[in-house]
Amino acid sequence: MLDKNIWILIATAILCVMLFGNRKVWLWAVLKEQLAVFKNAKKKRFSPWDCICFFIFPAILSWVLVYRLDVVISKTLAELLTTVFSIVFTVLFGFAAILVSKIDSPNKIEKQVTQETFVSIVSATLLSLIAAVLSIILTSLNFKTALEVISIGIFSFALIIIMLLLLITKRIFFLYIDYKN
């Protein structure tokens, strides 16, 4: 079993280097832009509350689900989640492509909201892709600790995606109301 653990760590390290070390797919830029979305527009400063709600609470809730409530994602659920995350990815990717054409608004506030919405869509799209991959990986594992850790990751990403979808929905509604008036 120790050999499998070492290979899991090696595979995780390689994946992290691929995702965060290659400038062509540099996810740090997306994370940086997403954090900028959490800047309070009125006070012109970073909102720690937004980061807590979007990152810390999902991680804590996921940990509670797995280690306190014993909710580990089963292989059947992982297969279903793979499909769901793939659909979310596809829809958001298409929506992001459409939204790019709307970024050139002459209205400064509308332009900012559109850009921030685009960033949140891209973030949710990437998280959906990563969650789908984690769901696929989960279907082939039998090691309890790995199942628990990946379940925490999937739950965390799912909760963050839900929060981002709510943020996106609110901002699109704002754009609609602004356009309507």
Side-chain angles (χ1 to χ4, degrees):
M1 193 54 91
L2 182 60
D3 290 337
K4 189 170 186 177
N5 292 338
I6 291 171
W7 284 111
I8 289 171
L9 287 173
I10 290 170
T12 303
I14 290 170
L15 183 64
C16 288
V17 170
M18 285 170 47
L19 294 177
F20 296 104
N22 185 325
R23 288 189 175 266
K24 299 237 189 304
V25 292
W26 211 13
L27 297 182
W28 290 116
V30 175
L31 179 61
K32 181 181 157 192
E33 289 297 319
Q34 184 60 54
L35 290 174
V37 169
F38 300 140
K39 189 177 182 180
N40 187 315
K42 292 178 184 171
K43 297 179 182 179
K44 302 286 186 201
R45 63 185 173 101
F46 181 72
S47 172
W49 178 244
D50 285 345
C51 282
I52 290 170
C53 288
F54 278 83
F55 299 114
I56 305 298
F57 284 164
I60 291 170
L61 185 55
S62 299
W63 183 87
V64 168
L65 284 170
V66 171
Y67 287 113
R68 294 297 175 236
L69 301 176
D70 294 321
V71 180
V72 177
I73 297 174
S74 67
K75 290 182 183 190
T76 306
L77 179 57
E79 291 168 354
L80 176 65
L81 288 174
T82 301
T83 304
V84 170
F85 288 128
S86 298
I87 291 168
V88 169
F89 171 82
T90 304
V91 169
L92 289 175
F93 191 77
F95 192 65
I98 293 169
L99 197 60
V100 167
S101 65
K102 304 294 182 191
I103 289 179
D104 292 335
S105 172
N107 182 327
K108 184 180 177 184
I109 293 174
E110 184 178 287
K111 183 175 182 173
Q112 178 185 348
V113 170
T114 304
Q115 288 172 338
E116 290 176 354
T117 303
F118 177 78
V119 168
S120 294
I121 289 171
V122 170
S123 297
T125 302
L126 289 172
L127 288 175
S128 295
L129 180 63
I130 293 168
V133 170
L134 286 175
S135 296
I136 292 167
I137 291 169
L138 194 129
T139 62
S140 63
L141 293 177
N142 291 319
F143 182 55
K144 183 181 179 198
T145 304
L147 291 171
E148 292 170 342
V149 170
I150 290 176
S151 290
I152 289 173
I154 292 170
F155 283 136
S156 294
F157 289 151
L159 290 169
I160 293 169
I161 290 165
I162 289 168
M163 291 294 290
L164 287 171
L165 289 174
L166 291 171
L167 175 98
I168 291 163
T169 302
K170 178 187 170 220
R171 287 175 180 255
I172 290 171
F173 183 74
F174 170 78
L175 289 172
Y176 168 74
I177 294 297
D178 191 50
Y179 178 75
K180 185 177 163 185
N181 295 331

